[in-house]
């Protein structure tokens, strides 16, 4: 019923296949159950992500986090408090000789599991400009080779976007 | 020189090792070259990501994108225009019988390469609540198994956060 007029400029890529009841997308809303939105509610700001970047790079102390993120002290303090409240970071006391005990910020296990988010964002940002000789790169310590993200299924097949389907979980056959 | 007082609540995970000149983190800034920030400047808002989610799920038309994202028409229109301007989406004309030609929104190759970002965010959001029977799941069409992100290096080793190092690219040995 639809007359498409494709032009070379309108090249598009295959998206996900909707399966089961989810094929009728108007019958379902993901509002309230969307994991991506839940994640973004906690870490979906530039300030949260630049602080997390610096924590991933090894910064722990408030003054280092402020200097390296380029955020103001007020913004950094507010965001760090939120990240601690959400269980992404935790505070750990430290004391330098002659100084009072202070708190540093370290990743929790939950925070560490943002690793693929950080890598996939860096990887995508890499596509945006042709300056591949500058900036930092992430490598595998043991072999020195650069790292990237791959999507794989439980049977260890590499999975492209066009090979992906989306369905409601309540329709998943329960065989176990 | 630092006296750490670790408590059980302050458990932390290994982060990246800084190599070469980047070990002296104060000597380097990633400001202006950070790929992650560059990515976030384009897609680092909730509205951009919920629109992209719906495009990945197969929506193309403005009214569907508005309904399924839950955004207002004004916010959706502004964000879609930006995503087209950044080359993440492209407009494609379509015409239904008896109607004027309209534009739908489809992923470009660049947009499609956000697939690991979307999957890694959904995966992390999954950790935040214990409601694993609700919402949608992403599966490999060919085998039906659920998908997730893995970090691998160029030598195909799976790489954990603690096995990762970060270094400046200008220090990369140029052997080829």
């Amino acid at each position: 019923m639809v007359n498409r007029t494709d032009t070379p400029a309108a090249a598009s890529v295959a998206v996900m296949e909707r399966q089961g009841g989810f094929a009728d997308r108007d019958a379902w809303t993901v509002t309230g159950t969307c994991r991506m939105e839940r994640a973004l509610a906690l870490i979906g700001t530039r300030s949260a992500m630049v602080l997390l970047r610096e924590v991933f790079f090894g910064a722990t102390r408030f003054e280092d986090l402020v200097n390296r993120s380029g955020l103001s002290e007020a913004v950094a303090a507010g965001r760090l408090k939120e990240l601690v409240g959400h269980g992404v970071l935790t505070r750990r006391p430290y004391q330098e000789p002659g100084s009072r005990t202070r708190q540093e910020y370290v990743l929790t296990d939950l925070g560490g599991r943002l690793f693929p988010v950080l890598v996939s964002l860096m990887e995508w940002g890499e596509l945006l400009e042709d300056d591949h000789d500058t900036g930092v790169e992430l490598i595998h310590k043991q072999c020195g080779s650069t790292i990237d993200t791959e999507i794989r299924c439980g049977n260890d097949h590499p999975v492209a976007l066009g090979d992906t389907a989306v369905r409601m979980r309540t329709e998943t056959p329960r065989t176990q």
Side-chain angles (χ1 to χ4, degrees), chain A:
Chain A
M1 296 290 287
V2 175
N3 170 29
R4 295 191 190 276
T5 317
D6 284 6
T7 66
S12 68
V13 297
V15 294
M16 298 177 190
E17 175 183 287
R18 292 194 301 270
Q19 292 189 348
F22 200 65
D24 179 12
R25 184 66 185 81
D26 290 323
W28 299 88
T29 177
V30 295
T31 306
T33 62
C34 176
R35 271 85 191 168
M36 187 197 69
E37 287 191 62
R38 198 176 283 170
L40 292 176
L42 271 60
I43 49 97
T45 59
R46 179 181 169 278
S47 53
M49 287 306 293
V50 296
L51 287 166
L52 285 167
R53 175 193 69 201
E54 294 304 335
V55 172
F56 273 83
F57 286 176
T60 59
R61 299 186 181 184
F62 182 69
E63 57 271 30
D64 289 338
L65 288 165
V66 169
N67 290 338
R68 295 169 189 180
S69 67
L71 300 172
S72 72
E73 289 203 2
V75 169
R79 200 59 80 188
L80 287 167
K81 190 176 174 181
E82 270 184 28
L83 291 170
V84 170
H86 292 316
V88 176
L89 299 178
T90 186
R91 286 196 186 89
R92 184 168 66 180
Y94 73 96
Q95 189 170 21
E96 299 207 48
S99 300
R100 63 178 175 83
T101 299
R102 305 186 67 188
Q103 302 290 323
E104 60 184 2
Y105 296 87
V106 291
L107 277 181
T108 60
D109 176 65
L110 179 65
R113 291 173 77 170
L114 283 165
F115 183 41
V117 173
L118 201 88
V119 176
S120 61
L121 282 169
M122 290 176 75
E123 200 171 29
W124 192 73
E126 176 84 33
L127 304 172
L128 301 178
E129 272 191 42
D130 188 19
D131 61 348
H132 307 298
D133 285 342
T134 62
V136 299
E137 63 185 357
L138 305 182
I139 59 170
H140 184 202
K141 259 197 305 198
Q142 283 79 2
C143 78
S145 177
T146 53
I147 63 172
D148 59 16
T149 50
E150 278 188 29
I151 307 295
R152 291 192 176 237
C153 72
N155 291 320
D156 210 30
H157 304 129
V159 180
L161 173 55
D163 296 327
T164 306
V166 52
R167 65 180 178 197
M168 297 306 295
R169 284 198 169 143
T170 43
E171 296 178 331
T172 308
R174 300 281 172 210
T175 52
Q176 23 187 351

